[in-house]
């Protein structure tokens, strides 16, 4: 079966310091996939590599059957949309101009686009900011605008790096709703997050990334098995080998 | 606590300086010293000039009225200087407000920041000079407190007016820019008029000097001088002193409240809808990529200042030079200044290719858009816009000031001028690439570095001399050489547009990534 994402032996270094070390990962299509790991594990780097913003030293990446290399680059990028942390926005445009600009790059059909943009902005309570400059928006509104734009470009693979950070609880629920609807339409969604409860409730498959390796891949079957005896928090702590340090602050 | 606050702000200031800026700061301190000596020295000379017996021999026309006129002109001119250069650099509110989170009392912090804000060295120099200038003219003891309170009140008012003026400038940038443009133009025309008719104007002025003095006495500088030249007795002095100090107190309280408000409301953003006519226009004319790039260039306030400078210089100098009865000025300087405008626009565009919009440009890499196509469109945009300006200027020269040369000469010389600088900028952008951290207008925004600005100005005038100096019989040789070079450069650039893109990708792109 064609995989949404297939990564083999991926190595990514920052100035000779490896961040991703021979990473292997397979993500089936139409999945909500959660990537969790401690700070510095390489989650955002992996998202950066998949978006094409970062190059990589070794390995192979296939997205929907196409190898990520210069000759396929544009075709692959048409399939992908992302919300980065911090979100990528063009600061001098208004919210609506930004949406139009990105949709034009993705060659999204113009007919009905503005109406769809307004309805999504309305859903996330940022409709009033349609003609406000992006650099005047609050952190939460910026995240919501990036999310709305990524949905409007109709991707087959949606990459969300910490999508819920700085977003209010009502909007988080609405974002989850949109993510589930996209999944039902066959879109693959990769989410990185520090909030384990969100990942646990939303994602079908979860991988734990630590020191540039995938330490565990928990699909729906293995998750059920493992979570009979332990919570996701405990499983996470086990795989990232959390050191018990409470005695250090005993003086408190 | 006050000491710690000073240390914190000193560290914020120092940590933001690179080595070059540190050198500039040392130079600035030396400049301040020289400025203080010059200002105080000039004030002393102006005040003492009528008491020196040598003066009455050498300057018989220096009657008491004329002396008062000189004093008033100096006082008002100095007040204008004071007003213009009063430094409004506010403290770093964002950093200082963090102290509130560590228990620093709000009122005390606001009070200290207000005091530090008032004590900028340039402002202290001006106020100190006022005190010297006024106190050496004192005839009665009661004038001393009045003069001191008047200087304090003057400073407080200037500070307040400028504070509001800054807000006005931010809100109505275009109106202020055009206002400034007209003001400069009118001022230069007046100076030109005065310079050519000075003896007549001066002869008419002397009989009316008393009236002029009466007017000057009620301008701000004149009123300050009145505090030490008039007799008003202890009673009135007490009232003026009290009233001035109350006003000073109110102004300081106003600033204190504003600082307090600023500490509690950091970066209060004005959320207003903005029209995007410029973006829509540029997108239509230059395409999506070059349009976005130029939209960003034109949105940057420092670039707008540079465009303003490019407009003001020819508007002011060309009419002036047209009135000068010196042929060489017309045949070399005017065409050089005009040919320099598209060159400067080109320099601005090229410099920004490596400037503050880079982050957003590089982030396009995640979108399905061809990098080569994007770069090519941007380069074309950078070249096309100055080229349009170049043609407009050439047409202007041919129609309005044909005396500067024949149409063919102007056209060939301008094209040669433009292409030579274009090659220079392209070459230096790739092979001399470095991030500019300071510019003619700002330390923080990478636009055009000062040394490049100076070097280009020098090159423009040197090139202007070679290209525009009249050669009479040899003119055809020069035109033939320039035309040949133009054709070669044009064909090369047309056929090798990809070279620009590849050079950018291979030589500059990785460095941009590292600088993000």
């Amino acid at each position: 079966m064609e995989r949404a994402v297939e990564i083999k032996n991926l190595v990514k270094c920052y100035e000779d310091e490896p961040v991703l070390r021979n990473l292997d990962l397979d993500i089936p299509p139409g999945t909500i996939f959660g990537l969790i790991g401690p700070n510095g594990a390489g989650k955002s780097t992996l998202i950066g590599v998949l978006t094409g913003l970062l190059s990589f030293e070794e390995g192979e990446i296939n997205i929907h059957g196409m190898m990520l290399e210069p000759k396929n680059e544009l075709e692959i990028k048409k399939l992908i949309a992302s919300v980065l942390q911090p979100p990528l926005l063009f600061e001098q445009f208004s919210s609506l101009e930004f949406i139009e600009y990105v949709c034009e790059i993705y060659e999204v059909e113009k007919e009905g686009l503005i109406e769809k943009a307004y309805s999504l902005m309305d859903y996330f309570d940022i409709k009033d900011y349609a003609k406000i400059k992006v650099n005047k928006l609050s952190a939460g509104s910026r995240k919501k605008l990036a999310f709305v734009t990524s949905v409007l470009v109709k991707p087959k693979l949606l990459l969300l790096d910490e999508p819920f950070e700085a977003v209010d609880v009502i909007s988080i629920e609405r974002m989850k709703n949109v993510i589930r609807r996209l999944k039902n339409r066959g879109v693959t969604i990769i989410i990185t997050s520090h909030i384990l409860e969100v990942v646990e409730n939303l994602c079908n498959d979860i991988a734990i990334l630590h020191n540039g390796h995938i330490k565990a891949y928990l699909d729906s079957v293995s998750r059920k098995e493992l979570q009979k005896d332990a919570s996701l928090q405990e499983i996470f702590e086990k795989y990232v080998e959390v050191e018990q340090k409470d005695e250090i602050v005993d003086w408190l | 606590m006050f000491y710690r606050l000073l240390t914190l702000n000193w560290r914020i200031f120092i940590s933001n300086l690179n080595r070059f800026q540190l050198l500039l700061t040392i130079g600035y301190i030396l400049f301040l010293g020289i400025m203080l000596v010059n200002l105080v020295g000039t004030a002393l000379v102006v005040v003492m000039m009528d008491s020196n017996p040598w003066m009455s021999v050498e300057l018989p026309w220096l009657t008491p009225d004329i002396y008062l006129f000189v004093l008033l002109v100096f006082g008002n001119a100095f007040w204008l200087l004071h007003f213009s250069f009063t430094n409004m650099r506010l403290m770093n509110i964002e950093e200082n407000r963090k102290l509130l989170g560590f228990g620093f009392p709000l009122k005390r912090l606001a009070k200290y920041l207000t005091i530090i804000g008032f004590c900028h060295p340039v402002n202290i120099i001006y106020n100190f000079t006022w005190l010297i200038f006024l106190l050496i003219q004192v005839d009665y003891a009661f004038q001393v407190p009045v003069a001191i309170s008047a200087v304090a009140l003057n400073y407080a008012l200037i500070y307040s007016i400028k504070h509001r003026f800054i807000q006005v400038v931010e809100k109505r940038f275009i109106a202020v820019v055009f206002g400034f443009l007209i003001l400069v133009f009118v001022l230069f025309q007046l100076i030109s008029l005065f310079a050519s008719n000075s003896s007549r104007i001066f002869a008419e002025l002397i009989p009316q000097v008393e009236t002029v003095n009466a007017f000057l006495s009620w301008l701000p500088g004149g009123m300050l001088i009145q505090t030490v030249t008039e007799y008003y007795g202890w009673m009135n002095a007490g009232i003026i002193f009290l009233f001035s100090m109350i006003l000073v107190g109110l102004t300081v309280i106003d600033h204190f409240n504003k600082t307090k408000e600023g500490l509690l409301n950091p970066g209060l953003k004005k959320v207003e809808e903005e029209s995007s006519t410029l973006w829509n226009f540029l997108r239509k004319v230059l395409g999506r990529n070059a349009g976005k790039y130029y939209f960003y260039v034109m949105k940057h306030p420092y670039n707008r200042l540079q465009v303003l400078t490019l407009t003001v210089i020819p508007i002011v100098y060309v009419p002036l030079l047209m009135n000068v009865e010196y042929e060489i000025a017309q045949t070399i300087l005017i065409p050089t200044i005009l040919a320099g405008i598209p060159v400067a626009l080109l320099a601005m565009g090229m410099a920004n290719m490596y400037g503050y919009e880079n982050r957003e440009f590089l982030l396009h890499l995640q979108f399905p858009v061809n990098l080569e196509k994007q770069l090519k469109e941007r380069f074309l945009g950078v070249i096309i816009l100055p080229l349009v300006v170049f043609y407009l200027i050439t047409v202007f020269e041919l129609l309005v000031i044909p005396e500067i040369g024949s149409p063919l000469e102007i056209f060939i010389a301008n094209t040669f001028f433009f292409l030579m600088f274009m090659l220079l900028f392209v070459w230096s952008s790739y092979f001399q690439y470095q991030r500019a951290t300071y510019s003619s207008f700002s330390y923080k925004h990478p636009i055009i570095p000062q040394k490049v600005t100076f070097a280009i100005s020098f090159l423009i005038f040197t090139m202007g001399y070679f290209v525009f100096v009249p050669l009479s019989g040899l003119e055809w040789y020069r035109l033939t050489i320039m035309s040949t070079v133009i054709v070669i450069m044009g064909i090369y650039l047309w056929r090798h547009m990809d070279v620009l893109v590849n050079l950018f990708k291979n030589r500059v792109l990785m460095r941009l990534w590292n600088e993000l």
Side-chain angles (χ1 to χ4, degrees):
Chain A
M1 189 178 70
E2 184 188 277
R3 317 298 284 175
V5 177
E6 199 176 352
I7 300 172
K8 284 181 192 158
N9 293 321
L10 182 68
V11 177
K12 168 69 194 165
C13 302
Y14 287 125
E15 294 180 354
D16 298 333
E17 184 64 37
V19 179
L20 301 175
R21 306 155 198 254
N22 297 101
L23 185 138
D24 293 311
L25 186 64
D26 275 3
I27 302 172
T31 321
I32 303 177
F33 175 82
L35 189 63
I36 55 177
N39 290 335
K43 302 185 295 294
S44 295
T45 303
L46 180 59
I47 298 284
V49 170
L50 290 174
T51 52
L53 282 172
L54 296 173
S55 61
F56 53 94
E57 277 69 35
E58 286 173 39
E60 199 178 280
I61 299 175
N62 282 284
I63 291 171
H64 283 286
M66 283 185 283
M67 194 191 283
L68 188 57
E69 56 184 352
K71 70 170 184 181
N72 294 327
E73 206 182 325
L74 287 187
E75 281 303 303
I76 290 177
K77 284 179 180 174
K78 272 185 188 168
L79 305 177
I80 302 174
S82 58
V83 175
L84 302 180
Q85 174 55 25
L88 148 68
L89 300 167
F90 297 148
E91 305 291 329
Q92 295 291 339
F93 286 153
S94 71
S95 304
L96 195 61
E97 282 167 357
F98 172 72
I99 291 174
E100 281 182 290
Y101 181 84
V102 175
C103 288
E104 197 182 319
I105 292 177
Y106 275 87
E107 294 168 0
V108 177
E109 204 181 324
K110 280 185 182 170
E111 206 182 306
L113 176 68
I114 302 292
E115 290 76 21
K116 283 179 195 165
Y118 268 115
S119 79
L120 267 175
M121 282 197 281
D122 195 11
Y123 187 55
F124 288 106
D125 299 321
I126 53 170
K127 193 179 168 188
D128 290 347
Y129 304 143
K131 288 185 179 169
I132 302 293
K133 241 190 196 184
V134 166
N135 64 9
K136 305 252 170 84
L137 299 182
S138 68
S141 301
R142 291 167 71 88
K143 193 55 97 43
K144 289 191 252 181
L145 176 63
F147 183 73
V148 165
T149 313
S150 70
V151 172
L152 283 169
V153 300
K154 296 180 183 168
K156 277 184 88 174
L157 175 61
L158 181 59
L159 307 170
L160 305 173
D161 192 9
E162 305 286 356
F164 308 118
E165 208 164 270
V167 179
D168 60 274
V169 280
I170 296 162
S171 297
I172 287 179
E173 281 311 307
R174 289 177 182 168
M175 280 167 105
K176 285 189 204 167
N177 180 27
V178 172
I179 289 169
R180 287 192 188 105
R181 284 176 186 231
L182 289 175
K183 186 231 162 196
N184 293 339
R185 270 178 26 200
V187 178
T188 310
I189 300 115
I190 301 180
I191 300 174
T192 74
S193 181
H194 290 294
I195 312 167
L196 292 186
E197 291 82 9
V198 173
V199 177
E200 194 170 9
N201 296 333
L202 187 64
C203 300
N204 313 115
D205 295 1
I206 297 169
I208 299 172
L209 183 67
H210 184 42
N211 284 337
H213 293 288
I214 297 291
K215 290 279 185 178
Y217 189 105
L218 315 173
D219 59 19
S220 47
V221 181
S222 59
R223 261 178 74 189
K224 266 184 195 161
E225 195 60 37
L226 277 168
Q227 288 192 278
K228 271 182 195 165
D229 308 318
S231 66
L232 186 60
Q233 171 83 25
E234 285 164 336
I235 297 168
F236 178 77
E237 286 183 5
K238 185 184 135 199
Y239 279 106
V240 299
E241 292 151 13
V242 176
E243 238 180 293
Q244 284 307 317
K245 288 185 173 178
D246 289 351
E247 67 275 12
I248 296 176
V249 288
D250 274 349
W251 56 270
L252 278 170
Chain B
M1 218 172 234
F2 189 56
Y3 171 75
R4 283 190 187 159
L5 187 72
L6 280 177
T7 317
L8 171 75
N9 281 283
W10 176 248
R11 281 190 183 156
I12 294 169
F13 174 67
I14 288 293
S15 62
N16 285 328
L17 294 179
N18 61 29
R19 202 172 289 172
F20 181 78
Q21 288 166 345
L22 195 66
L23 279 175
L24 278 183
T25 310
I26 294 168
Y28 183 60
I29 293 167
L30 289 174
F31 164 76
L32 289 181
I34 295 166
M35 187 175 130
L36 174 69
V37 173
N38 269 317
L39 286 175
V40 174
T42 313
L44 286 172
V45 169
V46 169
V47 175
M48 305 289 187
M49 68 191 283
D50 78 324
S51 54
N52 192 325
W54 175 84
M55 286 294 217
S56 55
V57 179
E58 289 296 315
L59 306 173
W61 48 265
L62 191 69
T63 60
D65 277 342
I66 297 282
Y67 169 70
L68 183 62
F69 174 72
V70 173
L71 210 62
L72 287 168
V73 167
F74 174 81
N76 284 306
F78 185 66
W79 187 87
L80 268 180
L81 276 179
H82 189 180
F83 183 83
S84 309
F85 293 105
T86 288
N87 203 303
M88 294 294 300
R89 187 162 296 176
L90 301 171
M91 306 307 294
N92 191 328
I93 295 281
E94 283 300 316
E95 284 295 316
N96 281 295
R97 71 183 299 273
K98 290 176 187 167
L99 290 170
L100 296 176
F102 295 106
F104 207 110
L106 173 67
K107 278 187 181 174
R108 200 184 294 181
L109 185 60
K111 188 175 82 182
Y112 289 162
L113 290 179
T114 309
I115 294 168
I116 301 173
F118 278 131
C119 294
H120 190 282
V122 172
N123 306 350
I124 290 177
I125 286 175
Y126 275 100
N127 289 308
F128 182 70
T129 309
W130 268 123
L131 285 176
I132 301 279
F133 176 62
L134 295 178
L135 292 179
I136 52 174
Q137 298 180 64
V138 161
D139 291 324
Y140 308 99
F142 61 77
Q143 289 172 334
V144 175
V146 173
I148 292 169
S149 64
V151 169
L153 178 62
N154 177 53
Y155 179 43
L157 289 177
I158 286 179
Y159 207 88
S160 284
I161 293 167
K162 282 200 82 165
H163 193 78
R164 274 150 188 81
F165 184 68
I166 282 174
Q167 288 176 349
V168 170
V169 170
E170 276 176 0
K171 276 184 193 161
R172 297 177 183 83
F173 184 81
I174 294 173
V176 171
V177 161
F178 279 102
F180 176 72
L181 199 96
I182 290 163
L183 189 73
V184 171
F185 180 67
V186 170
L187 192 69
F188 272 77
Q189 290 297 321
L190 280 176
I191 290 169
S192 146
L193 196 73
F194 191 83
S196 53
N197 301 290
S198 58
S199 53
R200 192 170 56 84
I201 292 170
F202 209 59
E204 282 174 13
L205 181 75
I206 288 175
Q208 295 171 16
V209 75
E210 261 187 72
T211 323
V212 176
N213 282 351
F215 171 70
L216 290 176
S217 300
W218 293 102
L219 292 180
M223 285 199 283
L224 278 161
I225 292 172
Q226 279 194 57
T227 61
V228 289
T229 52
E230 297 293 321
Y231 181 87
Y232 35 82
W234 277 105
M235 175 74 92
N236 287 333
I239 294 167
I240 297 169
F241 179 78
L242 197 70
F243 185 64
S244 303
M245 291 323 283
I246 289 170
L247 281 179
V248 171
L250 288 174
T251 318
V252 173
I253 289 168
D254 179 43
H255 278 284
F256 165 76
N257 287 332
K258 280 206 172 60
T259 310
K260 213 166 68 173
E261 196 183 315
L263 285 167
L264 291 177
N265 300 296
L268 202 61
K269 291 175 182 171
K270 290 172 227 108
V271 182
E272 289 166 0
E273 291 193 3
E274 290 178 44
S275 65
S276 299
T277 331
L278 181 65
W279 158 237
N280 289 327
F281 171 74
L282 289 172
R283 181 164 59 169
K284 274 182 196 144
V285 175
L286 297 172
R288 191 180 65 218
N289 293 315
K292 177 179 187 290
Y293 170 67
Y294 250 99
F295 176 64
Y296 269 66
V297 170
M298 297 319 293
K299 273 279 170 187
H300 200 290
Y302 291 103
N303 282 337
R304 288 196 276 181
L305 266 180
Q306 290 193 350
V307 171
L308 172 70
T309 314
L310 290 179
T311 323
V312 168
I313 290 172
I315 285 180
V316 170
Y317 280 102
V318 171
L320 277 180
L321 288 170
M322 292 300 289
N323 291 326
V324 175
E325 290 165 6
Y326 189 51
E327 200 187 335
I328 204 85
Q330 291 181 2
T331 49
I332 299 178
L333 284 178
I334 294 175
T336 304
I337 287 173
L338 291 175
I341 296 169
V343 169
L345 265 179
L346 187 71
M348 203 176 92
M350 287 301 292
N352 280 282
M353 287 291 279
Y354 312 95
Y356 61 94
E357 195 245 0
N358 280 328
R359 185 173 174 273
E360 287 192 6
F361 170 60
L362 292 178
L363 290 172
H364 275 81
L365 286 173
Q366 69 168 312
F367 295 138
V369 55
N370 188 296
L371 181 72
E372 281 82 0
K373 182 174 171 278
Q374 232 180 329
L375 274 171
K376 211 179 266 188
E377 279 187 27
R378 281 169 174 241
F379 276 118
L380 277 174
V382 165
I383 295 165
I384 284 170
L385 206 75
L387 211 58
V388 170
V389 174
F390 153 75
Y391 276 111
L392 289 176
I393 286 172
T394 308
V395 170
F396 169 82
E397 286 175 319
L398 295 176
L399 295 179
V400 183
I401 38 175
E403 56 267 41
I404 62 171
S406 74
L408 189 68
E409 281 167 16
I410 293 171
F411 185 76
I412 292 179
N414 278 357
T415 312
F416 181 76
F417 204 89
F418 185 80
L419 276 176
M420 287 300 281
F421 276 100
M422 199 179 104
L423 279 190
L424 172 75
F425 295 147
V426 169
W427 175 81
S428 59
S429 301
Y430 300 125
F431 298 101
Q432 306 280 309
Y433 171 77
Q434 60 172 324
R435 185 186 173 90
T437 49
Y438 53 91
S439 78
S440 303
F441 294 106
S442 155
Y443 285 124
K444 287 183 182 163
H445 300 282
I447 316 289
I448 302 177
Q450 270 169 334
K451 59 182 176 187
V452 177
T453 310
F454 292 137
I456 290 174
S457 308
F458 175 74
L459 278 175
I460 284 176
F461 281 98
T462 312
M463 177 79 94
Y465 186 81
F466 283 112
V467 172
F468 296 112
V469 71
L471 288 180
S472 56
L474 297 172
E475 189 62 52
W476 279 103
Y477 288 105
R478 181 168 64 184
L479 287 179
T480 313
I481 293 168
M482 287 196 297
S483 306
T484 315
V485 178
I486 287 168
V487 171
I488 293 169
M489 285 194 294
I491 292 172
Y492 180 83
L493 280 170
W494 184 256
R495 293 185 61 182
H496 295 87
M497 199 67 196
D498 290 343
V499 175
L500 299 181
V501 173
N502 291 332
L503 276 173
F504 186 89
K505 270 177 76 179
N506 300 334
R507 286 193 163 266
V508 182
L509 205 62
M510 281 318 292
R511 297 184 64 171
L512 293 182
W513 265 121
N514 294 335
E515 286 167 2
L516 283 181

